[in-house]
Amino acid sequence: MPMDVIVFGTGQVSKLARYHLEQEGSHRVAAFTVDAGWITEPSFCGIPVVPFEELAERYPPERFAMFVPLSYRNRNRLRVEKYHAAKLMKYGFVSIVPAEVGADHSVQTGENCFIAPGAIVRPFARIGDNCHVAAGAVISHDVVVERHCFVSSAAVVGGGAHVGEGCVIALNATVLNGIRVAPRCLIGAGAVLTADSAPEGVYVGVPARRRAGVA
C-alpha cells in the first residue's frame, strides 16, 4: 500500500531510493533526514531536510514510515545504527523490492530492504532485514542473506550459500555454492570465496584469502 515515507540521507543512494520509492512503489517521499550537524541545505531534490533529532515530533511515526538506504560504509555500521534508532522511535519501514522478486512467493525479504531493479534473486532465497542488494547482483536459489548485509553490483552468491549478519560482498565478488560467509566479513572486489570464512575477516584474491592484520 502506498505510504508517506521519510528517507535517511542526502547522498546519491538516498536520491536513488527516492526515485524507486516513487516510481515503482508509488510511495510519496515527504522529507529527507540526517543528523542536525550534517545539514548543509534546507532541502534536497526539492524536498525538505529535517534534523533526525526532531523527526518524531515533526513527522510522527503514526503517520509516516522510514527508509534507511545508507551504503556499506564502515561495514554497514551506520545503516545499522540509524535503522535501530528509527525502530526505537517506533517507525515502521518500507522496502524496495522489484515486482518480479515480490511476485515470487518462495522468496522472503525483510523490512528496510533495498533490492535494486536489475538484481536477480532466485527462488527460495531469504534476505533479512536492512539489506541492500545492488543492481546486477545475483542471489542464487536457496541462499540465505542475514540482516544488515550489502551485496554490490555484479556480485554473485551461489546456490545454497549462507551470508552471515553484517557482511559486505563487494563489486564483482563471487561466493561459491554452499559456502558460509561468517558474520561481519568483507569479501573484496573481484574476490572468489571458495571455502567458509572466519568472522570479521577481509578476504581478497582468487581464490580469496583472509588479509592478515585487517579486521
Side-chain angles (χ1 to χ4, degrees), residues 7 13-22 67 69 96 114:
V7 174
V13 176
S14 298
K15 180 172 69 173
L16 185 64
R18 181 240 177 159
Y19 174 85
H20 288 304
L21 285 166
E22 294 190 341
F67 190 57
I96 294 173
F114 190 169

Side-chain angles (χ1 to χ4, degrees), residues 6 10 16 48 74 82 85 87 90 99 104 107 116 127-128 149 163 183 191:
I6 312 299
T10 54
L16 185 64
N74 201 15
K82 297 307 177 185
K87 283 185 79 72
K90 307 300 184 183
D104 185 345
V107 174
I127 299 172
C149 288
V163 180

Side-chain angles (χ1 to χ4, degrees), residues 17-61:
R18 181 240 177 159
Y19 174 85
H20 288 304
L21 285 166
E22 294 190 341
Q23 296 298 317
E24 299 178 32
S26 300
H27 301 299
R28 183 183 77 92
V29 175
F32 292 93
T33 186
V34 294
D35 294 340
W38 289 94
I39 295 179
T40 58
E41 299 289 343
S43 65
F44 179 66
C45 298
I47 296 174
V49 178
V50 180
F52 189 59
E53 296 85 345
E54 302 174 12
L55 190 62
E57 179 180 352
R58 296 173 60 176
Y59 293 85

Side-chain angles (χ1 to χ4, degrees), residues 13 16-25 67 95-102 113-121 132-138 151-154:
V13 176
L16 185 64
R18 181 240 177 159
Y19 174 85
H20 288 304
L21 285 166
E22 294 190 341
Q23 296 298 317
E24 299 178 32
F67 190 57
S95 288
I96 294 173
V97 179
E100 61 272 19
V101 175
C113 281
F114 190 169
I115 302 175
I120 297 173
V121 182
H132 188 135
V133 180
V138 177
V151 182
S152 301
S153 293

Side-chain angles (χ1 to χ4, degrees), residues 72 150-156 168-174 186-191:
Y72 54 82
F150 193 104
V151 182
S152 301
S153 293
V156 177
V168 176
I169 313 298
L171 288 165
N172 206 37
T174 300
L186 167 61
I187 311 303

Side-chain angles (χ1 to χ4, degrees), residues 70-183:
L70 300 175
S71 74
Y72 54 82
R73 180 176 297 178
N74 201 15
R75 245 180 275 186
N76 301 301
R77 288 186 180 95
L78 181 59
R79 191 172 75 257
V80 173
E81 175 189 332
K82 297 307 177 185
Y83 166 77
H84 283 307
K87 283 185 79 72
L88 286 173
M89 295 161 68
K90 307 300 184 183
Y91 282 98
F93 296 87
V94 297
S95 288
I96 294 173
V97 179
E100 61 272 19
V101 175
D104 185 345
H105 299 298
S106 75
V107 174
Q108 300 177 42
T109 58
E111 65 181 11
N112 199 60
C113 281
F114 190 169
I115 302 175
I120 297 173
V121 182
R122 302 298 297 151
F124 308 110
R126 178 166 65 83
I127 299 172
D129 296 337
N130 196 34
C131 286
H132 188 135
V133 180
V138 177
I139 305 296
S140 299
H141 65 90
D142 297 289
V143 165
V144 174
V145 179
E146 299 286 2
R147 61 182 184 167
H148 311 317
C149 288
F150 193 104
V151 182
S152 301
S153 293
V156 177
V157 182
H162 189 287
V163 180
E165 180 175 319
C167 287
V168 176
I169 313 298
L171 288 165
N172 206 37
T174 300
V175 177
L176 295 190
N177 294 352
I179 295 300
R180 297 186 68 86
V181 186

